[in-house]
């Protein structure tokens, strides 16, 4: 599929994989995007696809160039869903030169033992002239691996961005945003960011500043649609999430064994509603998938989290969420917490302990109860909900 000038899309869809990275559920599948530049002085392939789809991938490449050779394989990111076809590409095109930075080449050798002396080592700001197309390489470490970089085609003003500005969701016939209804992809971009890049807010901001002087008419990421008309929105989504910018809303997250913690969570939501909060999302952490929970927390400014004491500690699904949050940039949120116990009070203490790392703004007093939930406990929960709905 031709995108612009001599730039072609040769990616594939994965509608089989249940979980991305073995962790994040994929109800709408995922795409592995690769791009081919068919130029007068050289043919360049930008990233590859998951090895399971190599046959389909090779067919797409040959639809564009027939039996002509590929001169360069530009590696923006070495994660195996993008580099997985590298060895097979080298077998089909034995004279192809890999193009990547120092850390990329170390990973090429470490993963595939496939580095060669004639491969092209690039540094930040280096260029590659394909004839008509002039390519520039910019290092963007920790987006979201240490070797990540982006490739910018000066001639067509196209940014090949690696995983940046990508999202979950397979592509349904159309590839470019101008040819599709993109509504389903924006929540998937937020979920992708929260799950995959949520830890790397500072590196994302550094990369955005580095790329800001470029004139970008098209963003070609390695997952999801090619962004043209909505490229500014994709950039703004990454800017907002990386800076911790949120919108008003309350996310209530809880785990419950026998229903007591659930009643308190519902009372918090009720109190917030009584105080006029319009956006309230309640997640039972034993049911909700973590990436959807994380996306909601990144989107909204207030979080209430609670669970029972369990085996002298915190209920596992609640602790799992807190551990994930400690590894992500969420410090600008407001927090309410709640927890119950039968004989040893631990849940609230441990939530507060995690918040020493998260550094959220604690709102009100934690709601804590022993054994059964009383009417007084539920009233305290409603009061906490009202406080969480009140913003200065």
């Amino acid at each position: 599929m031709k995108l612009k000038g001599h730039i072609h899309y040769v990616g594939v869809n994965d509608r089989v994989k249940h979980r991305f990275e073995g962790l994040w559920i994929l109800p709408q599948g995922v795409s592995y995007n690769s791009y081919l530049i068919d130029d007068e002085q050289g043919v360049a392939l930008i990233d590859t696809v998951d090895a399971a789809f190599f046959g389909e991938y090779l067919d797409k490449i040959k639809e564009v160039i027939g039996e002509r050779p590929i001169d360069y394989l530009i590696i923006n990111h070495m994660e195996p869903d993008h580099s997985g076809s590298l060895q097979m590409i080298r077998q089909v095109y034995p004279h192809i030169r890999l193009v990547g930075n120092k850390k990329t080449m170390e990973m090429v050798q470490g993963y595939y033992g496939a580095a060669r002396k004639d491969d092209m080592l690039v540094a930040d700001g280096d260029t590659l002239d394909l004839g008509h197309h002039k390519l520039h390489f910019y290092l963007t470490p920790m987006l979201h691996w240490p070797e990540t970089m982006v490739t910018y085609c000066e001639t067509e003003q196209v940014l090949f961005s690696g995983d940046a500005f990508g999202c979950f969701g397979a592509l349904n016939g159309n590839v470019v945003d101008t040819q599709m209804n993109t509504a389903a992809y924006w929540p998937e971009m937020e979920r992708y960011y929260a799950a995959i890049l949520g830890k790397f807010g500072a590196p994302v901001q550094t990369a955005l500043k580095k790329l800001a002087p470029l004139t970008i008419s098209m963003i070609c990421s390695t997952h999801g649609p090619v962004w043209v008309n909505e490229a500014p929105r994709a950039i703004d989504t990454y800017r907002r999430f990386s800076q911790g910018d949120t919108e008003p809303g309350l996310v209530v997250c809880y785990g419950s064994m026998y229903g007591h913690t659930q009643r308190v969570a519902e009372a918090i939501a009720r109190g917030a509603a009584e105080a006029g909060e319009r956006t309230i999302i309640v997640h039972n952490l034993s049911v909700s998938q973590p990436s959807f929970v994380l996306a909601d927390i990144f989107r909204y400014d207030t979080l209430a989290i609670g669970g029972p004491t369990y085996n002298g500690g915190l209920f596992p699904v609640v602790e799992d969420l807190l551990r994930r949050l400690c590894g992500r940039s969420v410090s600008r949120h407001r927090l309410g917490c709640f927890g119950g116990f039968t004989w040893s009070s631990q849940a609230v203490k441990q939530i507060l302990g995690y918040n020493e790392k998260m550094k959220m703004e604690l709102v009100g007093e934690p709601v804590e109860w022993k054994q059964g939930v009383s009417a007084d406990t539920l009233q305290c929960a409603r009061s906490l909900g009202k406080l969480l709905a009140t913003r200065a």
Side-chain angles (χ1 to χ4, degrees):
M1 180 180 294
K2 182 178 287 189
L3 297 178
K4 191 174 185 182
H6 296 283
I7 300 173
H8 302 262
Y9 176 86
V10 290
V12 300
N13 284 314
D14 187 343
R15 304 182 191 273
V16 177
K17 185 174 290 181
H18 292 283
R19 292 179 184 269
F20 192 77
E21 296 183 337
L23 290 170
W24 316 110
I25 193 168
L26 292 171
Q28 300 177 56
V30 69
S31 68
Y32 308 123
N33 299 343
S34 177
Y35 305 93
L36 188 70
I37 303 177
D38 181 13
D39 208 327
E40 57 198 38
Q41 293 183 17
V43 176
L45 188 62
I46 302 179
D47 292 308
T48 70
V49 303
D50 189 291
F53 298 88
F54 182 72
E56 177 185 353
Y57 178 52
L58 185 60
D59 287 344
K60 290 189 173 186
I61 291 171
K62 292 193 173 184
E63 281 182 22
V64 179
I65 60 172
E67 297 303 319
R68 292 174 55 205
I70 300 176
D71 300 285
Y72 304 100
L73 169 54
I74 297 166
I75 305 172
N76 285 327
H77 184 25
M78 270 297 298
E79 202 165 5
D81 55 334
H82 307 300
S83 68
S85 293
L86 188 153
Q87 285 177 302
M88 290 177 282
I89 282 288
R90 276 221 132 138
Q91 291 172 4
V92 177
Y93 301 100
H95 299 295
I96 197 170
R97 296 178 66 191
L98 306 185
V99 180
N101 60 68
K102 184 175 183 293
K103 290 183 178 179
T104 297
M105 295 307 179
E106 291 172 356
M107 291 186 183
V108 167
Q109 189 61 25
Y111 270 104
Y112 307 113
R116 294 195 317 226
K117 291 182 179 179
D118 64 336
D119 289 333
M120 182 176 176
L121 191 67
V122 297
D124 193 39
D126 282 355
T127 61
L128 175 61
D129 191 338
L130 296 177
H132 177 67
H133 297 83
K134 308 295 189 297
L135 304 182
H136 300 258
F137 306 107
Y138 298 99
L139 303 191
T140 54
M142 299 318 301
L143 237 69
H144 53 117
W145 279 23
E147 89 301 352
T148 50
M149 70 178 192
V150 301
T151 300
Y152 177 67
C153 176
E154 175 187 348
T155 312
E156 300 288 358
Q157 299 177 340
V158 174
L159 180 69
F160 300 95
S161 60
D163 275 354
F165 312 117
C167 63
F168 296 131
L171 297 171
N172 301 317
N174 293 315
V175 171
V176 182
D177 66 358
T178 56
Q179 303 166 348
M180 67 172 76
N181 183 339
T182 62
Y185 292 100
W186 295 109
E188 290 295 84
M189 176 178 283
E190 294 186 352
R191 190 166 70 92
Y192 181 89
Y193 183 97
I196 308 300
L197 287 118
K199 180 179 180 179
F200 304 106
V204 169
Q205 291 179 55
T206 299
L208 290 175
K209 290 175 183 176
K210 177 181 283 191
L211 302 177
L214 303 179
T215 300
I216 299 172
S217 63
M218 177 181 285
I219 297 177
C220 296
S221 76
T222 48
H223 297 292
V226 170
W227 303 111
V228 179
N229 285 356
E230 298 189 85
R233 181 176 176 181
I235 294 171
D236 187 62
T237 298
Y238 270 60
R239 179 196 60 77
R240 287 188 296 107
F241 273 37
S242 66
Q243 291 180 174
D245 292 350
T246 53
E247 57 189 86
L250 169 63
V251 183
V252 182
C253 299
Y254 73 92
S256 186
M257 286 187 287
Y258 301 114
H260 299 289
T261 312
Q262 177 171 317
R263 290 187 66 192
V264 174
E266 297 286 2
I268 290 172
R270 178 181 172 186
E274 291 171 343
E277 181 65 74
R278 296 176 63 87
T279 303
I280 303 171
I281 300 170
V282 180
H283 283 293
N284 179 344
L285 297 176
S286 295
V287 177
S288 296
Q289 292 292 327
S291 58
F292 289 95
V293 178
L294 290 171
D296 285 334
I297 293 171
F298 266 82
R299 186 180 303 120
Y300 299 112
D301 65 356
T302 305
L303 170 67
I305 186 165
T309 298
Y310 186 84
N311 283 346
L314 188 56
F315 196 53
V317 293
V318 180
E319 186 160 32
D320 177 73
L321 175 61
L322 287 165
R323 284 175 175 167
R324 293 179 193 272
L325 291 174
C326 284
R328 287 168 168 82
S329 304
V330 291
S331 61
R332 295 173 65 177
H333 287 63
R334 304 162 71 246
L335 175 68
C337 65
F338 54 102
F341 64 98
T342 296
W343 67 89
S344 175
S345 171
Q346 290 296 323
V348 166
K349 291 177 184 177
Q350 294 205 19
I351 294 170
L352 293 174
Y354 275 106
N355 195 42
E356 291 179 7
K357 298 177 182 178
M358 298 187 300
K359 302 186 184 304
M360 294 184 183
E361 175 193 348
L362 191 64
V363 176
E365 291 294 324
V367 176
E368 188 175 38
W369 65 95
K370 183 176 182 179
Q371 298 164 8
V373 174
S374 67
D376 287 343
T377 300
L378 295 177
Q379 184 56 49
C380 289
R382 287 172 66 185
S383 297
L384 177 58
K386 291 175 182 178
L387 281 175
L388 291 169
T390 304
R391 299 174 179 83

